[in-house]
Amino acid sequence: MHIAEKIKEYTTLLPSAISLIAVSKTKPVADLMEAYEVGQRIFGENKVQEMTSKWKEMPKDIEWHMIGHVQSNKVKYMAPFVDLIHAVDSLKLLKEINKQAKNNDRTIRCLVQIKIAQEDSKFGMSWNEALELLASETFKSLENIEIAGLMGMATFTENTSQIEQEFKKLKGFFDEGKKNNPSFKELSMGMSSDYNIAIKNGSTMVRIGSDIFGARNYN
Ligand SMILES: *Cc1c(COP(=O)(O)O)cnc(C)c1O
């Protein structure tokens, strides 16, 4: 694989306002270091334990993004260092993140994951549920979290117009949410197969895994 070349390619190709999250789940530290050596500083992982052990081993100027579904009982392990949690989908989880952030005397930035795909398997809230959450008194009492915006995953399909429609929908929610939530700054959408469509439709963060690091090995 040519990880360094890929990072350089993305750095050149992406507009400077769009952050590249190098999704390194299942990959060894040596692969992440190859990306680090050419300047990559944001890595995305989907398992708390794996992210924590990589954080311990690697240079401390890396931003670690948790992009996967999070179980409440795992939050405490990443609370000291995680930079952004992309896939928050319940008030219960937010309360736990707030509690652990407070224990660590910090504010943790989060994105609310909105379900835009047609598949049942994708996590996330409906936009109405998210609006309800953001308007709730419980949410407003949480002082150690900041909702930095929204995240979503499009349906896994060859049908690019469907993907485009889903991303446009999410961008619409993001713009609506921004009106009442000045902390909304990031719209995390786009992966290896659909980041071009995501960028055209207002993404501020793309999460690229296999196109940089090659196919994942889950054994
Ligand atoms: C694995 C993963 C990605 C990266 O997927 P690729 O298709 O390999 O780019 C992006 N977002 C989430 C939430 C993921 O779990």
Side-chain angles (χ1 to χ4, degrees):
M1 276 313 298
H2 306 284
I3 296 168
E5 278 71 27
K6 275 290 176 186
I7 295 290
K8 288 186 207 160
E9 200 180 297
Y10 274 101
T11 310
T12 314
L13 161 161
L14 291 174
S16 59
I18 297 181
S19 309
L20 171 65
I21 319 299
V23 176
S24 46
K25 61 197 190 199
T26 79
K27 296 297 174 182
V29 164
D31 286 9
L32 281 69
M33 282 309 296
E34 192 176 335
Y36 181 89
E37 299 294 354
V38 291
Q40 183 62 29
R41 290 295 180 274
I42 312 178
F43 291 89
E45 291 281 335
N46 72 338
K47 296 235 161 40
V48 173
Q49 195 176 7
E50 184 177 343
M51 184 172 76
T52 304
S53 76
K54 286 173 174 170
W55 165 66
K56 284 180 183 155
E57 272 186 67
M58 293 183 63
K60 291 297 169 281
D61 61 344
I62 291 172
E63 272 186 30
W64 292 98
H65 288 209
M66 172 45 60
I67 62 167
H69 185 70
V70 179
Q71 289 170 297
S72 293
N73 62 353
K74 301 279 172 63
V75 174
K76 57 178 176 286
Y77 302 113
M78 63 175 164
F81 70 92
V82 67
D83 188 78
L84 182 64
I85 301 177
H86 286 237
V88 172
D89 62 358
S90 74
L91 186 55
K92 175 177 175 258
L93 178 58
L94 269 182
K95 281 157 77 177
E96 178 63 16
I97 296 169
N98 184 70
K99 179 178 151 192
Q100 299 300 339
K102 197 169 183 168
N103 285 345
N104 286 277
D105 202 18
R106 58 189 298 250
T107 298
I108 296 181
R109 298 191 308 144
C110 300
L111 304 177
V112 176
Q113 182 174 5
I114 304 295
K115 184 176 151 71
I116 51 171
Q118 277 175 349
E119 295 133 47
D120 288 336
S121 60
K122 304 257 155 98
F123 293 104
M125 309 180 96
S126 72
W127 179 235
N128 277 337
E129 287 168 336
L131 283 176
E132 225 171 87
L133 183 154
L134 292 168
S136 72
E137 288 309 315
T138 311
F139 169 72
K140 288 177 190 159
S141 72
L142 305 178
E143 292 179 336
N144 292 73
I145 51 158
E146 182 184 295
I147 300 294
L150 303 178
M151 178 269 209
M153 290 170 88
T155 303
F156 188 70
T157 172
E158 306 269 284
N159 183 345
T160 53
S161 72
Q162 181 180 350
I163 296 172
E164 178 144 37
Q165 274 175 27
E166 291 172 356
F167 284 154
K168 278 191 196 312
K169 194 156 73 169
L170 187 59
K171 174 69 159 74
F173 299 152
F174 177 69
D175 289 339
E176 187 189 336
K178 246 181 167 169
K179 291 181 195 151
N180 291 317
N181 301 277
S183 62
F184 267 42
K185 292 186 185 75
E186 306 291 353
L187 181 55
S188 168
M189 61 183 196
M191 327 191 345
S192 293
S193 57
D194 58 18
Y195 72 88
N196 268 319
I197 310 173
I199 289 171
K200 265 193 253 147
N201 289 283
S203 171
T204 70
M205 285 185 161
V206 289
R207 310 176 309 269
I208 312 287
S210 45
D211 193 47
I212 294 171
F213 295 104
R216 284 178 287 274
N217 182 355
Y218 282 106
N219 295 322

Tab-separated table of all heavy atoms in Angstrom, residues 63-106:
chain	number	residue	atom	x	y	z
A	63	GLU	N	-5.186	14.178	16.997
A	63	GLU	CA	-6.601	14.302	17.387
A	63	GLU	C	-7.265	12.962	17.136
A	63	GLU	O	-7.281	12.471	16.006
A	63	GLU	CB	-7.315	15.310	16.469
A	63	GLU	CG	-7.253	16.736	16.904
A	63	GLU	CD	-8.130	17.621	16.001
A	63	GLU	OE1	-9.157	17.151	15.459
A	63	GLU	OE2	-7.756	18.788	15.837
A	64	TRP	N	-7.862	12.402	18.188
A	64	TRP	CA	-8.535	11.099	18.053
A	64	TRP	C	-10.042	11.296	17.961
A	64	TRP	O	-10.653	11.888	18.848
A	64	TRP	CB	-8.174	10.198	19.241
A	64	TRP	CG	-6.738	9.799	19.211
A	64	TRP	CD1	-5.702	10.371	19.910
A	64	TRP	CD2	-6.163	8.775	18.398
A	64	TRP	NE1	-4.517	9.754	19.582
A	64	TRP	CE2	-4.764	8.766	18.658
A	64	TRP	CE3	-6.667	7.850	17.469
A	64	TRP	CZ2	-3.885	7.876	18.027
A	64	TRP	CZ3	-5.789	6.965	16.851
A	64	TRP	CH2	-4.421	6.984	17.134
A	65	HIS	N	-10.617	10.797	16.890
A	65	HIS	CA	-12.061	10.893	16.692
A	65	HIS	C	-12.695	9.517	16.831
A	65	HIS	O	-12.260	8.563	16.177
A	65	HIS	CB	-12.373	11.442	15.290
A	65	HIS	CG	-12.059	12.897	15.132
A	65	HIS	ND1	-12.738	13.714	14.264
A	65	HIS	CD2	-11.136	13.684	15.749
A	65	HIS	CE1	-12.240	14.951	14.349
A	65	HIS	NE2	-11.273	14.953	15.231
A	66	MET	N	-13.695	9.417	17.695
A	66	MET	CA	-14.450	8.171	17.813
A	66	MET	C	-15.602	8.258	16.808
A	66	MET	O	-16.487	9.091	16.940
A	66	MET	CB	-14.969	8.025	19.251
A	66	MET	CG	-15.928	6.876	19.485
A	66	MET	SD	-15.491	5.285	18.757
A	66	MET	CE	-13.909	4.942	19.544
A	67	ILE	N	-15.552	7.397	15.782
A	67	ILE	CA	-16.572	7.493	14.726
A	67	ILE	C	-17.622	6.397	14.826
A	67	ILE	O	-18.619	6.435	14.116
A	67	ILE	CB	-15.929	7.462	13.316
A	67	ILE	CG1	-15.187	6.141	13.082
A	67	ILE	CG2	-14.985	8.654	13.126
A	67	ILE	CD1	-14.818	5.922	11.625
A	68	GLY	N	-17.396	5.420	15.715
A	68	GLY	CA	-18.320	4.290	15.792
A	68	GLY	C	-19.387	4.467	16.862
A	68	GLY	O	-19.373	5.435	17.634
A	69	HIS	N	-20.301	3.529	16.900
A	69	HIS	CA	-21.337	3.499	17.925
A	69	HIS	C	-20.669	3.288	19.280
A	69	HIS	O	-19.793	2.446	19.413
A	69	HIS	CB	-22.304	2.349	17.621
A	69	HIS	CG	-23.471	2.305	18.537
A	69	HIS	ND1	-24.463	3.253	18.500
A	69	HIS	CD2	-23.788	1.446	19.531
A	69	HIS	CE1	-25.363	2.975	19.428
A	69	HIS	NE2	-24.979	1.877	20.058
A	70	VAL	N	-21.067	4.073	20.286
A	70	VAL	CA	-20.405	4.013	21.590
A	70	VAL	C	-21.346	3.463	22.655
A	70	VAL	O	-22.491	3.895	22.772
A	70	VAL	CB	-19.950	5.424	22.031
A	70	VAL	CG1	-19.286	5.380	23.404
A	70	VAL	CG2	-19.005	6.031	21.008
A	71	GLN	N	-20.829	2.516	23.429
A	71	GLN	CA	-21.583	2.040	24.597
A	71	GLN	C	-21.217	2.916	25.789
A	71	GLN	O	-20.041	3.227	26.002
A	71	GLN	CB	-21.206	0.591	24.903
A	71	GLN	CG	-21.725	-0.401	23.879
A	71	GLN	CD	-21.130	-1.776	24.107
A	71	GLN	OE1	-19.923	-1.949	24.003
A	71	GLN	NE2	-21.983	-2.726	24.447
A	72	SER	N	-22.226	3.261	26.571
A	72	SER	CA	-22.015	4.191	27.695
A	72	SER	C	-20.886	3.741	28.628
A	72	SER	O	-20.095	4.564	29.091
A	72	SER	CB	-23.295	4.340	28.507
A	72	SER	OG	-24.266	4.994	27.730
A	73	ASN	N	-20.802	2.443	28.869
A	73	ASN	CA	-19.802	1.976	29.844
A	73	ASN	C	-18.357	2.078	29.345
A	73	ASN	O	-17.415	1.839	30.087
A	73	ASN	CB	-20.124	0.546	30.314
A	73	ASN	CG	-20.075	-0.456	29.166
A	73	ASN	OD1	-19.931	-0.087	27.997
A	73	ASN	ND2	-20.200	-1.725	29.489
A	74	LYS	N	-18.179	2.452	28.051
A	74	LYS	CA	-16.815	2.587	27.503
A	74	LYS	C	-16.337	4.043	27.485
A	74	LYS	O	-15.165	4.302	27.229
A	74	LYS	CB	-16.775	2.052	26.063
A	74	LYS	CG	-17.170	0.590	25.905
A	74	LYS	CD	-16.010	-0.322	26.249
A	74	LYS	CE	-16.418	-1.788	26.283
A	74	LYS	NZ	-16.877	-2.297	24.988
A	75	VAL	N	-17.248	4.966	27.748
A	75	VAL	CA	-16.908	6.388	27.594
A	75	VAL	C	-15.729	6.784	28.487
A	75	VAL	O	-14.849	7.541	28.083
A	75	VAL	CB	-18.138	7.294	27.891
A	75	VAL	CG1	-17.755	8.757	27.885
A	75	VAL	CG2	-19.249	7.026	26.874
A	76	LYS	N	-15.700	6.224	29.700
A	76	LYS	CA	-14.670	6.647	30.662
A	76	LYS	C	-13.240	6.415	30.159
A	76	LYS	O	-12.333	7.154	30.499
A	76	LYS	CB	-14.871	5.970	32.018
A	76	LYS	CG	-14.881	4.455	32.008
A	76	LYS	CD	-15.052	3.932	33.443
A	76	LYS	CE	-15.164	2.426	33.509
A	76	LYS	NZ	-16.503	1.936	33.038
A	77	TYR	N	-13.058	5.402	29.319
A	77	TYR	CA	-11.704	5.089	28.852
A	77	TYR	C	-11.163	6.132	27.877
A	77	TYR	O	-9.966	6.364	27.799
A	77	TYR	CB	-11.663	3.696	28.198
A	77	TYR	CG	-12.122	2.602	29.133
A	77	TYR	CD1	-13.308	1.908	28.892
A	77	TYR	CD2	-11.373	2.279	30.268
A	77	TYR	CE1	-13.746	0.916	29.759
A	77	TYR	CE2	-11.808	1.284	31.141
A	77	TYR	CZ	-12.988	0.606	30.883
A	77	TYR	OH	-13.414	-0.367	31.741
A	78	MET	N	-12.069	6.740	27.095
A	78	MET	CA	-11.572	7.715	26.100
A	78	MET	C	-11.750	9.162	26.566
A	78	MET	O	-11.215	10.082	25.951
A	78	MET	CB	-12.265	7.505	24.750
A	78	MET	CG	-13.763	7.726	24.764
A	78	MET	SD	-14.455	7.589	23.093
A	78	MET	CE	-16.203	7.410	23.475
A	79	ALA	N	-12.481	9.347	27.661
A	79	ALA	CA	-12.785	10.715	28.117
A	79	ALA	C	-11.546	11.591	28.348
A	79	ALA	O	-11.604	12.794	28.116
A	79	ALA	CB	-13.651	10.668	29.373
A	80	PRO	N	-10.409	11.024	28.777
A	80	PRO	CA	-9.245	11.895	29.002
A	80	PRO	C	-8.668	12.497	27.719
A	80	PRO	O	-7.966	13.483	27.787
A	80	PRO	CB	-8.207	10.960	29.646
A	80	PRO	CG	-8.975	9.795	30.160
A	80	PRO	CD	-10.149	9.644	29.232
A	81	PHE	N	-8.938	11.910	26.564
A	81	PHE	CA	-8.195	12.357	25.382
A	81	PHE	C	-9.017	12.524	24.107
A	81	PHE	O	-8.555	13.171	23.154
A	81	PHE	CB	-7.036	11.389	25.105
A	81	PHE	CG	-7.484	10.030	24.616
A	81	PHE	CD1	-7.591	9.771	23.255
A	81	PHE	CD2	-7.804	9.008	25.505
A	81	PHE	CE1	-8.011	8.521	22.797
A	81	PHE	CE2	-8.227	7.760	25.059
A	81	PHE	CZ	-8.328	7.520	23.697
A	82	VAL	N	-10.210	11.951	24.019
A	82	VAL	CA	-10.923	11.967	22.722
A	82	VAL	C	-11.228	13.404	22.308
A	82	VAL	O	-11.572	14.252	23.136
A	82	VAL	CB	-12.212	11.103	22.792
A	82	VAL	CG1	-13.255	11.707	23.735
A	82	VAL	CG2	-12.807	10.896	21.404
A	83	ASP	N	-11.058	13.686	21.024
A	83	ASP	CA	-11.280	15.054	20.542
A	83	ASP	C	-12.713	15.272	20.061
A	83	ASP	O	-13.283	16.341	20.263
A	83	ASP	CB	-10.305	15.353	19.396
A	83	ASP	CG	-10.372	16.814	19.000
A	83	ASP	OD1	-9.784	17.634	19.736
A	83	ASP	OD2	-11.026	17.134	17.998
A	84	LEU	N	-13.268	14.292	19.378
A	84	LEU	CA	-14.628	14.445	18.859
A	84	LEU	C	-15.301	13.077	18.790
A	84	LEU	O	-14.724	12.127	18.270
A	84	LEU	CB	-14.589	15.084	17.461
A	84	LEU	CG	-15.937	15.372	16.777
A	84	LEU	CD1	-16.750	16.409	17.545
A	84	LEU	CD2	-15.741	15.845	15.345
A	85	ILE	N	-16.515	12.992	19.330
A	85	ILE	CA	-17.301	11.755	19.258
A	85	ILE	C	-18.375	11.975	18.194
A	85	ILE	O	-19.241	12.833	18.347
A	85	ILE	CB	-17.920	11.415	20.633
A	85	ILE	CG1	-16.803	11.247	21.675
A	85	ILE	CG2	-18.781	10.151	20.536
A	85	ILE	CD1	-17.294	10.968	23.102
A	86	HIS	N	-18.272	11.232	17.078
A	86	HIS	CA	-19.130	11.500	15.912
A	86	HIS	C	-20.541	10.924	15.997
A	86	HIS	O	-21.410	11.382	15.272
A	86	HIS	CB	-18.493	10.909	14.643
A	86	HIS	CG	-17.313	11.652	14.118
A	86	HIS	ND1	-17.256	12.153	12.840
A	86	HIS	CD2	-16.138	12.000	14.699
A	86	HIS	CE1	-16.090	12.754	12.641
A	86	HIS	NE2	-15.388	12.669	13.749
A	87	ALA	N	-20.732	9.866	16.759
A	87	ALA	CA	-21.970	9.102	16.579
A	87	ALA	C	-22.851	9.062	17.819
A	87	ALA	O	-23.325	8.010	18.229
A	87	ALA	CB	-21.628	7.681	16.113
A	88	VAL	N	-23.099	10.228	18.402
A	88	VAL	CA	-23.968	10.277	19.577
A	88	VAL	C	-25.421	10.143	19.139
A	88	VAL	O	-25.865	10.839	18.223
A	88	VAL	CB	-23.755	11.593	20.349
A	88	VAL	CG1	-24.788	11.740	21.450
A	88	VAL	CG2	-22.343	11.642	20.925
A	89	ASP	N	-26.129	9.207	19.752
A	89	ASP	CA	-27.504	8.972	19.302
A	89	ASP	C	-28.505	8.823	20.442
A	89	ASP	O	-29.597	8.301	20.244
A	89	ASP	CB	-27.560	7.754	18.378
A	89	ASP	CG	-27.129	6.481	19.079
A	89	ASP	OD1	-26.744	6.552	20.266
A	89	ASP	OD2	-27.182	5.415	18.452
A	90	SER	N	-28.132	9.288	21.640
A	90	SER	CA	-29.118	9.269	22.733
A	90	SER	C	-28.728	10.252	23.823
A	90	SER	O	-27.548	10.593	23.989
A	90	SER	CB	-29.247	7.867	23.333
A	90	SER	OG	-28.110	7.575	24.129
A	91	LEU	N	-29.732	10.691	24.562
A	91	LEU	CA	-29.494	11.583	25.696
A	91	LEU	C	-28.739	10.843	26.793
A	91	LEU	O	-27.883	11.409	27.467
A	91	LEU	CB	-30.840	12.115	26.214
A	91	LEU	CG	-30.780	13.172	27.319
A	91	LEU	CD1	-29.930	14.371	26.905
A	91	LEU	CD2	-32.182	13.640	27.685
A	92	LYS	N	-29.038	9.560	26.930
A	92	LYS	CA	-28.356	8.742	27.934
A	92	LYS	C	-26.836	8.757	27.696
A	92	LYS	O	-26.048	8.939	28.623
A	92	LYS	CB	-28.890	7.303	27.849
A	92	LYS	CG	-28.188	6.310	28.745
A	92	LYS	CD	-28.835	4.925	28.660
A	92	LYS	CE	-28.055	3.912	29.478
A	92	LYS	NZ	-27.192	3.050	28.648
A	93	LEU	N	-26.449	8.589	26.439
A	93	LEU	CA	-25.028	8.595	26.113
A	93	LEU	C	-24.423	9.986	26.364
A	93	LEU	O	-23.331	10.110	26.917
A	93	LEU	CB	-24.828	8.165	24.652
A	93	LEU	CG	-23.399	8.152	24.119
A	93	LEU	CD1	-22.499	7.234	24.942
A	93	LEU	CD2	-23.372	7.723	22.648
A	94	LEU	N	-25.136	11.014	25.990
A	94	LEU	CA	-24.644	12.383	26.218
A	94	LEU	C	-24.426	12.662	27.698
A	94	LEU	O	-23.460	13.321	28.077
A	94	LEU	CB	-25.648	13.401	25.672
A	94	LEU	CG	-25.468	13.853	24.224
A	94	LEU	CD1	-26.521	14.902	23.896
A	94	LEU	CD2	-24.065	14.411	23.985
A	95	LYS	N	-25.348	12.157	28.525
A	95	LYS	CA	-25.216	12.364	29.964
A	95	LYS	C	-23.953	11.692	30.501
A	95	LYS	O	-23.240	12.254	31.327
A	95	LYS	CB	-26.460	11.841	30.705
A	95	LYS	CG	-27.628	12.819	30.632
A	95	LYS	CD	-28.965	12.172	30.831
A	95	LYS	CE	-29.307	11.832	32.266
A	95	LYS	NZ	-30.691	11.272	32.336
A	96	GLU	N	-23.680	10.510	29.990
A	96	GLU	CA	-22.475	9.797	30.421
A	96	GLU	C	-21.212	10.512	29.918
A	96	GLU	O	-20.229	10.635	30.649
A	96	GLU	CB	-22.524	8.340	29.922
A	96	GLU	CG	-21.299	7.499	30.256
A	96	GLU	CD	-21.080	7.307	31.767
A	96	GLU	OE1	-22.007	7.555	32.559
A	96	GLU	OE2	-19.944	6.918	32.135
A	97	ILE	N	-21.236	10.986	28.686
A	97	ILE	CA	-20.075	11.725	28.156
A	97	ILE	C	-19.847	12.980	29.003
A	97	ILE	O	-18.716	13.310	29.377
A	97	ILE	CB	-20.275	12.094	26.667
A	97	ILE	CG1	-20.354	10.822	25.801
A	97	ILE	CG2	-19.132	12.992	26.175
A	97	ILE	CD1	-20.824	11.072	24.360
A	98	ASN	N	-20.938	13.660	29.350
A	98	ASN	CA	-20.838	14.868	30.173
A	98	ASN	C	-20.206	14.562	31.532
A	98	ASN	O	-19.314	15.266	31.994
A	98	ASN	CB	-22.225	15.462	30.366
A	98	ASN	CG	-22.192	16.766	31.117
A	98	ASN	OD1	-21.723	17.781	30.598
A	98	ASN	ND2	-22.659	16.768	32.351
A	99	LYS	N	-20.661	13.456	32.121
A	99	LYS	CA	-20.156	13.064	33.442
A	99	LYS	C	-18.651	12.756	33.390
A	99	LYS	O	-17.871	13.227	34.223
A	99	LYS	CB	-20.927	11.820	33.905
A	99	LYS	CG	-20.526	11.269	35.247
A	99	LYS	CD	-21.410	10.061	35.607
A	99	LYS	CE	-20.650	9.096	36.481
A	99	LYS	NZ	-21.390	7.805	36.595
A	100	GLN	N	-18.259	11.998	32.366
A	100	GLN	CA	-16.849	11.617	32.266
A	100	GLN	C	-15.978	12.808	31.856
A	100	GLN	O	-14.822	12.909	32.259
A	100	GLN	CB	-16.676	10.447	31.285
A	100	GLN	CG	-17.404	9.175	31.688
A	100	GLN	CD	-16.954	8.627	33.038
A	100	GLN	OE1	-15.860	8.928	33.526
A	100	GLN	NE2	-17.796	7.811	33.661
A	101	ALA	N	-16.527	13.708	31.060
A	101	ALA	CA	-15.793	14.924	30.686
A	101	ALA	C	-15.532	15.759	31.941
A	101	ALA	O	-14.422	16.253	32.163
A	101	ALA	CB	-16.581	15.723	29.659
A	102	LYS	N	-16.561	15.869	32.765
A	102	LYS	CA	-16.443	16.622	34.012
A	102	LYS	C	-15.379	15.998	34.922
A	102	LYS	O	-14.543	16.698	35.489
A	102	LYS	CB	-17.808	16.626	34.710
A	102	LYS	CG	-17.940	17.672	35.769
A	102	LYS	CD	-19.396	17.777	36.190
A	102	LYS	CE	-19.556	18.896	37.217
A	102	LYS	NZ	-20.979	19.203	37.437
A	103	ASN	N	-15.400	14.675	35.038
A	103	ASN	CA	-14.380	13.977	35.837
A	103	ASN	C	-12.970	14.294	35.374
A	103	ASN	O	-12.024	14.245	36.143
A	103	ASN	CB	-14.562	12.453	35.746
A	103	ASN	CG	-15.735	11.970	36.568
A	103	ASN	OD1	-16.248	12.710	37.416
A	103	ASN	ND2	-16.179	10.739	36.314
A	104	ASN	N	-12.844	14.583	34.085
A	104	ASN	CA	-11.529	14.881	33.521
A	104	ASN	C	-11.303	16.375	33.351
A	104	ASN	O	-10.342	16.785	32.700
A	104	ASN	CB	-11.359	14.170	32.180
A	104	ASN	CG	-11.127	12.684	32.346
A	104	ASN	OD1	-10.014	12.252	32.585
A	104	ASN	ND2	-12.191	11.901	32.271
A	105	ASP	N	-12.234	17.157	33.890
A	105	ASP	CA	-12.095	18.605	33.864
A	105	ASP	C	-11.944	19.146	32.437
A	105	ASP	O	-11.101	19.974	32.152
A	105	ASP	CB	-10.869	18.993	34.710
A	105	ASP	CG	-10.965	20.433	35.184
A	105	ASP	OD1	-12.087	20.979	35.146
A	105	ASP	OD2	-9.925	21.007	35.562
A	106	ARG	N	-12.773	18.617	31.524
A	106	ARG	CA	-12.714	19.108	30.152
A	106	ARG	C	-14.098	19.120	29.513
A	106	ARG	O	-15.059	18.640	30.098
A	106	ARG	CB	-11.727	18.280	29.307
A	106	ARG	CG	-12.007	16.787	29.226
A	106	ARG	CD	-10.840	16.058	28.560
A	106	ARG	NE	-10.631	16.501	27.187
A	106	ARG	CZ	-10.873	15.768	26.085
A	106	ARG	NH1	-11.313	14.532	26.194
A	106	ARG	NH2	-10.666	16.255	24.893
